[in-house]
Amino acid sequence: MDALMDAQENDAYLSTLNELKPTRQFEFADPKLIKGFAIDSKDINDWEFLMKSCIGCYLFGRFARQAGPNCSAKWMWLEDFFKLQKCRSWVAAKAAASTLLDSYLDDNAFAPPPKDSSLDNIYFELGPVDESDIAIVGSGINPVQVGGGFPEKAEESIQNAKKLGKVDMEPFTRIAKALNAFLHNNFFGDFKKSKYFTKFVKLEHWYSQHTFTEDDFEIFRVLGRGGFGLVNGCRCMRTGKVYAMKTMDKRRVKMNRGEEMCKFEKELLQLCKSDFVLDLKYSFFNDFELFIIMDVKAGGDLNFLIQQQKCFTKEMTQYFLARTCEGLQDIHNAGWIYRDLKPENLLLGDDGTCWISDLGLACPWKEGMAGIAGTPGYWCPEMLRKEPYDKGVDFWTLGVVLVEFLTGTCPFRNKAALEFGKSKGEKDKLLCCNMAVLEMEVEYDTEKMSEDAIDLAKKLLTKDPKERLGKNGIGDIKGHKYFEGFDWDAVTDGSMVPPFVPEQEVNAADQDSIGKFKNESEVKEIKLSDKDHSKYKNFPSSNKKAFEIDVTGLLIWEKSKGRPLTATVTRERSQTCSLM
Ligand SMILES: Nc1ncnc2c1ncn2[C@@H]1O[C@H](COP(=O)(O)OP(=O)(O)OP(=O)(O)O)[C@@H](O)[C@H]1O
């Protein structure tokens, strides 16, 4: 690829990252079909279903804002209650709870004006409407008319937050249930007659009929190369949302017997709900390829960053390590082990957060599990000794990446490891590396690593897994003196300001050096049988919540551009499109 083309593709990718630009409109079915769907579908007519949907909540929020203060104040209280539910530390929760109290539950308060919502991810799991909940609405003289002693109980729970280390959610949840029931009883009927509900039905119907394929995405430049194919930036054309598309050539997968890896990667991406691990948005296949769509992390991988910066500061190392620990904990809690921790697999968001990606080698943990998996230099001793292993493999690699972050080199892939291997009679590089993992005591660079960092590395790089730090969980690591004074709560609740924010540029090698696969012609020779294809029958999936969030983002964007809610394209029975 010539330099000009490379530059043009970089520009196209960067401009998609910076601006929401949907390039294809939703095509809705014939209005008669949609009407039929609205009448027949039990879900669509159910308030609880509406409240569980981000699109439903956003559209009800638009309706509520123009339905008068009796509706808007109560709904906006619920929106702020949603923010309270999301807080992970008591400090953040106390602040969010105080907003609910001061702005809506105080007799002297005036409800805040109903300004547009910019929240694309609100939804509620409040259960079925319970009429008895309503009793506490109407008796108060505050903006949401809540009485029954609940404003006082909410105040008490805020006062006790510090002592308890949490905000007692009970009074807030009771109020939320009461307002939820009130809005259902008094406003759901009118909402169902509004254009907002029509839009909701159309979108639900569209989703129920649609199967995502590669035709839904526009592809941009290559961001990285994986074992079975390339990773590109891409954009979902209807919502304008930018993602990363990982493509895996089924023939290359077959050649490397990687079918199970692809299956596990997709399964864990789908299963693991973590703020530290990339999750799956959509997956699908065609005759030759498997596709995984996930969030794009535009800051590049940490290996790329190490190459640029040579090594990381203590602040960066602590932050990256802490987020990685939290992600590993979520994976372990799901009953899986990760097995492939290395800087290439830690991706940096454009905001500086780092994320565990590439779950291809992760698998559900089973007693007695053994066998080599991962990357040379990051394999742990028990794997090389062919012994059974457990989550301790991930703590070993955490030690490896700690050294790599602070010194810029992997301690078992450097000159010292090579020389150690040679001194033990090994000739091959890989065997030298393995010998170093098994027997070499790492010599730490005291100019780049503090005493505490060395102590942590030594404890993680303990060759006997029974003695290794982490055997009792990540609490062992959190409590190590390398992290003295470090605010783990701020990492857990996402409030820590990342110590490094990447430049808004293409943080990836140029496309030619990411390059092509060496054995392309060999791969083309591989024939795929029906049996091969049948291995992927459960591969396609779509994450409805992700779809809802993207569509809500689109609706918010359209509102900010002054676009009318009803302007949509309808697909007639004849399959031609027209504007409604
Ligand atoms: N979501 C993403 N956002 C941005 N870049 C990504 C994303 N996912 C992957 N990449 C880039 O593509 C590279 C390869 O992706 P990944 O590691 O998932 O592939 P793989 O087939 O599992 O690779 P490996 O052979 O290392 O196991 C990453 O190192 C990273 O540079």
Side-chain angles (χ1 to χ4, degrees), residues 223-228 231 244 246 265 278 294-297 301 340 342 344-345 347 357-358:
L223 300 175
R225 186 179 52 188
F228 303 131
V231 177
K246 180 165 172 170
E265 172 163 23
L278 274 188
M294 55 197 153
D295 276 334
V296 69
K297 293 296 162 197
D301 61 70
D340 202 14
K342 56 182 176 178
E344 279 107 310
N345 287 344
L347 301 181
S357 80
D358 188 3

Side-chain angles (χ1 to χ4, degrees), residues 42-51 60 63-64 70-71 74-75 78 126-134 137 175-192:
K42 202 170 140 278
D43 282 344
I44 283 291
N45 292 293
D46 180 34
W47 172 258
E48 203 184 339
F49 181 80
L50 183 80
M51 290 296 107
F60 186 81
F63 164 85
N70 193 22
C71 184
K74 292 181 177 67
W75 177 255
L78 280 172
L126 291 166
V129 169
D130 184 340
E131 297 296 326
S132 64
D133 284 331
I134 268 191
V137 186
I175 298 170
K177 281 175 177 276
L179 296 179
N180 175 56
F182 180 92
L183 290 170
H184 165 262
N185 284 9
N186 294 283
F187 292 99
F188 191 32
D190 285 347
F191 173 71
K192 284 176 70 173

Side-chain angles (χ1 to χ4, degrees), residues 245-423:
M245 175 188 271
K246 180 165 172 170
T247 308
M248 293 171 282
D249 188 320
K250 286 183 185 172
R251 294 167 300 188
R252 194 178 295 281
V253 174
K254 182 174 178 181
M255 194 168 87
N256 294 293
R257 301 210 184 104
E259 290 88 347
E260 187 150 84
M261 280 168 67
C262 298
K263 189 180 122 217
F264 278 156
E265 172 163 23
K266 186 229 128 185
E267 270 176 29
L268 183 57
L269 275 166
Q270 204 170 7
L271 176 98
C272 188
K273 301 280 169 259
S274 166
D275 291 337
F276 310 95
V277 183
L278 274 188
D279 68 350
L280 180 76
K281 304 303 179 191
Y282 307 98
S283 56
F284 40 85
F285 58 72
N286 63 22
D287 286 347
F288 291 106
E289 289 154 317
L290 306 168
F291 300 90
I292 284 183
I293 304 289
M294 55 197 153
D295 276 334
V296 69
K297 293 296 162 197
D301 61 70
L302 290 191
N303 184 46
F304 180 73
L305 192 64
I306 292 179
Q307 282 169 15
Q308 289 186 319
Q309 302 208 340
K310 308 296 176 228
C311 56
F312 299 154
T313 61
K314 179 178 177 186
E315 287 66 37
M316 287 165 80
T317 303
Q318 281 183 327
Y319 179 74
F320 294 149
L321 219 58
R323 282 192 60 96
T324 307
C325 275
E326 297 284 357
L328 288 177
Q329 176 164 264
D330 290 338
I331 292 174
H332 294 164
N333 286 346
W336 288 55
I337 50 177
Y338 177 47
R339 304 195 298 180
D340 202 14
L341 183 59
K342 56 182 176 178
E344 279 107 310
N345 287 344
L346 296 171
L347 301 181
L348 208 54
D350 53 4
D351 56 356
T353 50
C354 86
W355 297 79
I356 294 183
S357 80
D358 188 3
L359 304 174
L361 293 179
C363 64
W365 180 74
K366 283 195 293 274
E367 189 77 45
M369 176 172 198
I372 288 193
T375 307
Y378 297 86
W379 291 329
C380 59
E382 59 270 31
M383 242 181 208
L384 292 172
R385 290 194 294 257
K386 302 197 168 67
E387 292 166 2
Y389 53 73
D390 61 14
K391 62 185 182 194
V393 296
D394 291 333
F395 295 121
W396 170 272
T397 42
L398 197 67
V400 180
V401 299
L402 164 65
V403 180
E404 200 164 346
F405 286 169
L406 288 169
T407 66
T409 56
C410 167
F412 303 109
R413 290 171 73 138
N414 59 10
K415 211 165 142 219
L418 208 61
E419 276 165 13
F420 180 85
K422 280 188 190 152
S423 75

